[in-house]
């Protein structure tokens, strides 16, 4: 189970929102590059970036902050002689040119959310043009997918869309329970597992992580296809220590592998 720190960008700063509400933003850092470096020093093996302004505007709004983070990641990798550290970004990505530009800047994965729901043809084209680098973001409330920075609720069922997008060739799905995001009330394990069982591509859980018990609960269902979890407010406010939590996840994964060397086959 991979723990992925979230760096949410608003007006060039690192913030966290409660239930996607831009009016409920807590600023945690005014230096995105240094924040990225902080999580890398804590043992992060991947970073999750969100351009919050972009999500609402429908076009990139924090590119300078993204570049600062990518510069910090490259510096850390060089100084510590480690392989490439993947960085994924979502928020306001609506065309192939933007994807290409971001990938050229050094991003590993692009997350498409609202545009995937509103314009499936765009997602299909993106998966074809950039194989292995497109992740779909499905944000839901009561099983229904939300769009436009969570401000609008569609009539689409999460699982139906997930199956459709899997066929397009997307690399993974980030699944967020809106009602739990930023509230630290625990991950919606049941809904996340239900989604993972419906598709064969990896699911990245998001929304509601509070403490080590949430991480342990996710590790128990890793075999269902839930391979990673995005951590936000919990690691910023200290209810979850990223370094020790990743160590614990590695320990549990190793124990599960030892108990089931065939991987369930």
């Amino acid at each position: 189970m991979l723990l992925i720190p979230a760096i949410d960008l608003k007006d060039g700063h690192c913030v966290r929102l409660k239930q996607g509400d831009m009016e409920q933003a807590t600023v945690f850092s005014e230096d995105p590059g240094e924040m990225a470096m902080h999580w890398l020093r804590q043992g992060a093996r991947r970073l999750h970036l969100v351009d919050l302004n972009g999500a609402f505007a429908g076009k990139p709004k924090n590119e300078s902050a993204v570049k600062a983070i990518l510069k910090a990641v490259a510096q850390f990798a060089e100084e510590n002689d480690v392989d490439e550290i993947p960085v994924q970004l979502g928020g306001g990505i609506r065309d192939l040119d933007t994807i290409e530009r971001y990938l050229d800047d050094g991003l590993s994965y692009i997350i498409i959310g609202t545009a995937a729901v509103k314009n499936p043809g765009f997602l299909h084209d993106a998966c074809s043009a950039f194989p292995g680098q497109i992740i779909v973001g499905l944000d839901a409330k009561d099983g229904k997918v939300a769009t436009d920075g969570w401000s609008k609720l569609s009539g689409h069922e999460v699982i139906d869309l997930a199956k459709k997008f899997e066929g397009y060739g997307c690399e993974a799905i980030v699944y967020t329970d809106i009602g739990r995001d930023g509230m630290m009330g625990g991950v919606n394990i049941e809904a996340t597992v239900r989604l993972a069982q419906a598709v064969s591509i990896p699911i990245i859980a998001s929304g509601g992580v509070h403490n080590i018990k949430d991480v342990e609960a996710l590790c128990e269902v890793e075999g269902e296809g839930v391979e990673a979890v995005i951590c936000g407010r919990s690691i910023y406010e200290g209810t979850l220590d990223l370094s020790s939590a990743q160590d614990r996840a590695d320990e549990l994964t190793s124990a599960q592998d030892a108990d089931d060397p065939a991987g369930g086959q």
Side-chain angles (χ1 to χ4, degrees):
M1 180 64 59
L2 182 65
L3 276 60
I4 309 175
I7 301 179
D8 289 0
L9 302 167
K10 180 177 183 281
D11 304 330
H13 302 150
C14 302
V15 306
R16 292 303 297 169
L17 306 184
K18 288 188 176 181
Q19 294 181 311
D21 186 350
M22 288 287 271
E23 299 303 316
Q24 295 192 63
T26 303
V27 177
F28 283 100
S29 173
E30 296 185 0
D31 187 340
E34 181 53 39
M35 181 56 73
M37 192 70 80
H38 169 74
W39 295 128
L40 294 173
R41 293 190 191 109
Q42 295 294 312
R45 301 169 191 164
R46 186 163 170 169
L47 296 176
H48 174 81
L49 314 184
V50 181
D51 181 346
L52 292 171
N53 302 103
F56 284 88
K59 57 184 178 181
K61 290 289 186 178
N62 284 282
E63 287 192 74
S64 59
V66 172
K67 288 182 178 180
I69 289 170
L70 291 171
K71 183 178 179 181
V73 170
Q75 179 185 334
F76 180 87
E78 183 177 352
E79 290 176 353
N80 294 274
D81 193 26
V82 297
D83 292 334
E84 178 188 1
I85 300 165
V87 181
Q88 59 196 44
L89 168 74
I93 298 164
R94 305 285 193 270
D95 59 75
L96 297 179
D97 287 342
T98 299
I99 295 175
E100 185 172 23
R101 186 170 73 250
Y102 268 138
L103 293 176
D104 286 344
D105 285 342
L107 284 165
S108 304
Y109 302 101
I110 298 297
I111 302 169
I112 301 176
T114 294
V117 180
K118 290 188 167 184
N119 185 4
F122 164 60
L123 175 66
H124 190 278
D125 290 345
C127 289
S128 297
F130 309 102
Q133 294 184 290
I134 304 299
I135 293 173
V136 170
L138 292 179
D139 309 324
K141 187 173 184 179
D142 300 325
K144 301 290 186 181
V145 175
T147 62
D148 299 278
W150 300 353
S151 62
K152 299 177 182 177
L153 205 60
S154 76
H156 297 290
E157 294 285 345
V158 171
I159 288 178
D160 291 342
L161 280 184
K163 288 180 177 179
K164 179 179 180 179
F165 296 157
E166 177 185 22
Y168 289 179
C170 64
E171 181 70 11
I173 293 172
V174 173
Y175 173 66
T176 305
D177 185 316
I178 296 172
R180 304 202 183 201
D181 189 75
M183 305 305 289
M184 300 197 299
V187 178
N188 190 335
I189 298 282
E190 183 180 344
T192 305
V193 168
R194 197 158 53 240
L195 177 60
Q197 291 174 335
V199 295
S200 59
I201 56 176
I203 300 299
I204 301 173
S206 174
V209 172
H210 177 54
N211 55 32
I212 192 65
K213 290 184 178 179
D214 294 316
V215 174
E216 291 173 341
L218 283 165
C219 287
E220 290 181 8
V221 298
E222 187 171 7
E224 300 290 350
V226 184
E227 297 188 0
V229 58
I230 294 168
C231 304
R233 188 172 287 271
S234 59
I235 57 174
Y236 285 90
E237 296 193 350
T239 60
L240 182 72
D241 180 80
L242 179 68
S243 181
S244 60
Q246 185 63 71
D247 287 345
R248 176 60 174 153
D250 292 344
E251 177 187 324
L252 290 172
T253 299
S254 296
Q256 289 170 357
D257 289 344
D259 289 340
D260 187 11
Q265 298 298 316

